[in-house]
Amino acid sequence: MIIEQITTLDFSEGLKKTQTVIVPLGAIEEHGPHLPMNTDILHAYEIAKKAAEKLTVFVAPPINFGVCRSTADFPGTITIRSSTLVAIVLDVVEALYNPGIRNFILYSGHAGMNHVAAMLDAADQIMKRYDDAKFSVITDLELTDAEFFKLVETPADSHAGEIETSLILSLAPELVGELPEPDFPKFPKPLLVKDTRKYWKSGVWGDPKKASKEKGDKMVNILVKNLIGLVEEISR
Ligand SMILES: [Zn+2]
């Protein structure tokens, strides 16, 4: 049940069958010269919708804005403060809890550290408020398994590389441009840098040229399967 596509009556009827929701999150941020800036939202929302085709679960509209650090200097990235994301998650969960949702899977296609920390912060705050609610805070990583990583050829593939390019080739191939060369940026650790683009020209972290639609189809299937497993577990 895709919440933005059903009526309030459908929602009430649906609550008799399930009290579980997947809330997709993501970010609008640069994803190299070849992937759309909604890459993280697009794949999380599509994977959630595919799961909802196979079992009864609510899927909330995605929370489109996220907390971005390393990509923040690239034109078009729209980052929000961690406190803003915490506030949005708290409000969305409360609005879904009130009519009767009890199990919340916060599933982010964007895995920036500050972003995930804000999601966890929000979940921690709400868990204390509601005794009868269950929460899971995940990124794609928690939905991967050994079978998934057998498909990946690039070590340390992390942003707009083999994995994300394969996912978008599977889910929205019309949005994928010419695949760029691999890049593995080196930042002066442990220092924090103000101008990330000085160290990272391409906006790619990994090897997009290793991506394919076939790999993407298999990756999507695995992520959907493991998300369904999580829905079943949290709904028990
Ligand atoms: Zn991404």
Side-chain angles (χ1 to χ4, degrees):
M1 291 171 284
I2 314 302
I3 294 177
E4 63 182 345
Q5 294 174 2
I6 62 176
T7 66
T8 180
L9 297 175
D10 299 333
F11 189 97
S12 298
E13 279 304 306
L15 276 174
K16 295 175 189 163
K17 297 180 207 132
T18 183
Q19 294 81 46
T20 301
V21 68
I22 303 166
V23 181
L25 294 96
I28 298 292
E29 65 169 356
E30 76 73 25
H31 270 81
H34 63 303
L35 294 181
M37 286 200 277
N38 75 338
T39 288
D40 295 343
I41 301 152
L42 192 154
H43 81 259
Y45 195 24
E46 289 305 312
I47 284 163
K49 285 195 274 191
K50 282 180 188 292
E53 285 169 13
K54 300 202 170 138
L55 87 175
T56 306
V57 65
F58 287 104
V59 179
I63 297 175
N64 286 305
F65 297 112
V67 184
C68 308
R69 280 190 70 238
S70 49
T71 60
D73 291 335
F74 286 84
T77 295
I78 303 174
T79 184
I80 59 174
R81 281 165 285 176
S82 296
S83 56
T84 309
L85 183 59
V86 171
I88 293 172
V89 172
L90 290 175
D91 286 355
V92 169
V93 168
E94 189 180 317
L96 291 167
Y97 178 90
N98 288 337
I101 298 278
R102 289 297 177 267
N103 310 314
F104 296 85
I105 298 173
L106 307 178
Y107 167 32
S108 180
H110 173 57
M113 276 168 68
N114 293 26
H115 180 84
V116 176
M119 289 166 64
L120 286 166
D121 186 3
D124 276 341
Q125 291 187 41
I126 321 164
M127 282 206 306
K128 286 178 193 135
R129 213 182 290 169
Y130 304 130
D131 284 343
D132 57 347
K134 285 192 261 181
F135 293 89
S136 178
V137 172
I138 58 165
T139 65
D140 297 302
L141 191 63
E142 283 74 32
L143 300 179
T144 56
D145 53 23
E147 197 190 341
F148 185 95
F149 283 106
K150 267 189 222 156
L151 300 165
V152 184
E153 294 174 70
T154 318
D157 185 85
S158 83
H159 182 79
E162 181 184 355
I163 296 170
E164 286 194 309
T165 305
S166 297
L167 291 176
I168 306 304
L169 280 172
S170 170
L171 296 168
E174 69 282 3
L175 299 180
V176 181
E178 196 188 326
L179 303 187
E181 293 299 320
D183 193 10
F184 296 89
K186 294 256 181 299
F187 292 98
K189 284 188 171 174
L191 300 176
L192 294 179
V193 292
K194 276 187 202 147
D195 181 8
T196 47
R197 294 183 71 193
K198 203 166 116 191
Y199 302 91
W200 193 20
K201 299 267 185 266
S202 70
V204 167
W205 197 320
D207 188 355
K209 286 203 189 286
K210 291 265 169 32
S212 72
K213 181 186 177 320
E214 291 66 36
K215 267 186 206 170
D217 291 345
K218 289 180 188 161
M219 288 173 177
V220 166
N221 286 339
I222 293 168
L223 296 172
V224 170
K225 179 188 76 182
N226 291 330
L227 182 56
I228 287 171
L230 177 58
V231 170
E232 287 169 340
E233 191 183 332
I234 204 170
S235 304
R236 248 174 240 141

